[in-house]
Amino acid sequence: MTARILVADDNPTMLEAIVRFVESEGHNVLVARNGREALLLAMRELPDLVLLDVTMPDYDGFEVCRRIKDDERTALIPVTMLTILDDAEHRRRGIEAGADDFLTKPFEERLLRARIQTQLRTKRLTDQLER
C-alpha cells in the first residue's frame, strides 16, 4: 500500500539516500530540509509517517515532533526520529517530545524497511479506529 512519508533532514546526502530508498519501496515522499519546512509540510499535507532528523536548522527534530504531537490534527501521525548519536539523552528527549521510534544513522536498509512497515501498519489501524 502506497503511503505519503515526510522525510526531513538538513544533510543533502542523507536526505537523498532516504528519499531514494522510500521511493523504491513504492511510497510518495514529501521533502523538508529544515525543521520549519518539516512542520509546515506535516500540518498541511498530513503524511502517514514522518522520518525526522534530530539536528536541523530553524526547529530541531525534538521541537518539530513536539509540535506535531501537540496538534490534534497531527497527533496520531507516527514520528521516527533519525539521529547520528545513539545516546540515552537523545532518546529521552525524543520520548518526551512524543517520538514513536528511533533509528541511528547510518542505518541498515532492512531495518529501515521493517520500521517503516511497522509504523505504517500502526497508522492504518489507528485510522481505522478513528473512523
Side-chain angles (χ1 to χ4, degrees):
M1 179 177 186
T2 299
R4 288 185 323 147
I5 298 176
L6 171 57
V7 178
D9 199 313
D10 63 321
N11 178 313
T13 304
M14 184 59 67
L15 181 63
E16 182 182 327
I18 298 168
V19 167
R20 192 173 38 243
F21 176 79
V22 171
E23 287 177 338
S24 76
E25 293 293 306
H27 302 295
N28 297 318
V29 179
L30 304 165
V31 174
R33 290 171 179 79
N34 61 57
R36 185 178 308 277
E37 193 175 314
L39 186 59
L40 290 172
L41 278 171
M43 296 301 174
R44 186 178 70 220
E45 300 295 331
L46 304 175
D48 298 302
L49 171 64
V50 177
L51 300 177
L52 184 61
D53 184 29
V54 168
T55 54
M56 290 186 294
D58 295 330
Y59 302 134
D60 67 17
F62 303 119
E63 181 64 21
V64 174
C65 183
R66 186 175 300 104
R67 289 181 183 214
I68 288 172
K69 295 301 184 172
D70 284 348
D71 191 296
E72 186 177 291
R73 297 168 300 145
T74 55
L76 298 176
I77 296 171
V79 175
T80 296
M81 305 284 296
L82 308 173
T83 180
I84 286 183
L85 302 173
D86 187 21
D87 68 6
E89 180 64 15
H90 271 182
R91 290 187 181 273
R92 181 194 61 77
R93 289 185 64 201
I95 290 167
E96 288 174 352
D100 298 283
D101 201 357
F102 288 87
L103 278 175
T104 303
K105 299 187 289 186
F107 36 80
E108 194 261 316
E109 286 186 353
R110 289 183 299 177
L111 181 59
L112 178 57
R113 180 180 298 112
R115 296 280 177 85
I116 288 172
Q117 289 171 349
T118 298
Q119 293 298 338
L120 291 177
R121 185 178 321 112
T122 300
K123 177 71 166 88
R124 280 193 300 275
L125 293 172
T126 301
D127 288 350
Q128 288 174 359
L129 289 172
E130 285 282 295
R131 280 186 239 117

